[in-house]
Amino acid sequence: QKEVEQNSGPLSVPEGAIASLNCTYSDRGSQSFFWYRQYSGKSPELIMSIYSNGDKEDGRFTAQLNKASQYVSLLIRDSQPSDSATYLCAVMRNQGGKLIFGQGTELSVKP
Amino acid sequence: EPEVTQTPSHQVTQMGQEVILRCVPISNHLYFYWYRQILGQKVEFLVSFYNNEISEKSEIFDDQFSVERPDGSNFTLKIRSTKLEDSAMYFCASKTGIVETQYFGPGTRLLVL
């Protein structure tokens, strides 16, 4: 079983729609959860972090965490073509610890 | 806004040669990391460094790899004898001791021929 799993996509949505990205993780001891965006050939860029169950909103982005189901999601409202990128889910077990990344989901927002 | 910097941006080397990848973490950060990403694959953890010593390393980080913080600003990754399979993008990351967010540098693309 992979430690962090994501659908590789590509996920294609029309401009203005909601994009929904999902991630599951295997380690129940994971404490911190992150969504990074990665454009081709570039480094990961932090979108959201979430540490407790429930929703966390930041502008057009909402992260959702369900530790019982070992599930993290990212919703992007009013998707824009500039949101087209690969979205990486990452989890951390303990403070100062390593990030464990999923394979990433490629998102394509069509004008 | 402070950012992590890495040099060089690209490095081409011959198999068996030594390479040193350099990183300047954000100045008040205390935890330092190296990750790599082989083309088309996921980002993989290599090593973490805290309080002037390695705190964790992955199976990838074998005896060919070493890290050093030679002064108060630089953080280096050395690959002693490069292999073809070391070709990848290498990312340095750093974080403070308070919040968990790791900030990534722009990466060094290493090509081993």
Side-chain angles (χ1 to χ4, degrees):
Chain A
Q1 183 185 13
K2 293 180 184 175
E3 292 183 272
V4 179
E5 289 204 59
Q6 299 180 250
N7 291 328
S8 59
L11 173 66
S12 183
V13 300
E15 183 175 355
I18 295 175
S20 177
L21 305 162
N22 305 313
C23 170
T24 57
Y25 59 95
S26 60
D27 184 356
R28 285 195 171 274
S30 299
Q31 298 288 326
S32 309
F33 307 85
F34 305 87
W35 284 99
Y36 284 84
R37 176 174 62 197
Q38 187 177 34
Y39 294 110
S40 181
K42 303 295 185 183
S43 62
E45 173 194 6
L46 182 74
I47 299 294
M48 295 278 290
S49 58
I50 187 165
Y51 307 109
S52 53
N53 282 327
D55 295 0
K56 179 181 177 183
E57 188 174 318
D58 183 1
R60 296 186 296 112
F61 300 94
T62 299
Q64 299 173 316
L65 173 61
N66 183 326
K67 288 186 178 180
S69 300
Q70 296 174 246
Y71 176 87
V72 194
S73 67
L74 179 70
L75 297 177
I76 307 174
R77 288 180 300 281
D78 188 24
S79 296
Q80 301 297 309
S82 58
D83 294 327
S84 298
T86 297
Y87 288 79
L88 310 178
C89 174
V91 306
M92 182 189 296
R93 181 177 176 83
N94 52 275
Q95 182 180 10
K98 63 189 178 189
L99 288 172
I100 302 171
F101 284 88
Q103 183 77 14
T105 297
E106 184 185 348
L107 173 66
S108 176
V109 181
K110 304 294 186 185
Chain B
E1 185 175 317
E3 57 185 22
V4 178
T5 60
Q6 290 184 244
T7 54
S9 57
H10 294 79
Q11 173 107 37
V12 180
T13 190
Q14 296 292 321
M15 189 170 57
Q17 294 297 303
E18 174 183 287
V19 295
I20 297 176
L21 310 183
R22 292 183 167 80
C23 168
V24 179
I26 296 173
S27 62
N28 64 337
H29 285 191
L30 301 176
Y31 295 81
F32 314 110
Y33 307 84
W34 283 101
Y35 294 85
R36 79 172 186 188
Q37 187 176 31
I38 294 170
L39 188 64
Q41 298 188 22
K42 66 179 181 179
V43 177
E44 300 175 287
F45 167 76
L46 291 177
V47 65
S48 58
F49 194 85
Y50 171 71
N51 201 24
N52 287 319
E53 61 183 22
I54 291 174
S55 48
E56 187 175 359
K57 58 184 181 180
S58 72
E59 291 176 355
I60 303 167
F61 195 88
D62 61 22
D63 292 343
Q64 295 299 314
F65 290 87
S66 62
V67 289
E68 198 175 41
R69 189 158 161 79
D71 53 42
S73 59
N74 290 286
F75 180 50
T76 63
L77 174 69
K78 182 192 288 187
I79 309 175
R80 265 180 270 280
S81 179
T82 49
K83 306 183 187 78
L84 296 176
E85 55 264 37
D86 293 327
S87 295
M89 193 77 153
Y90 287 80
F91 296 111
C92 173
S94 68
K95 67 180 281 293
T96 70
I98 301 171
V99 295
E100 295 304 323
T101 303
Q102 292 183 24
Y103 293 91
F104 283 72
T108 294
R109 185 175 296 282
L110 176 66
L111 178 61
V112 182
L113 301 176

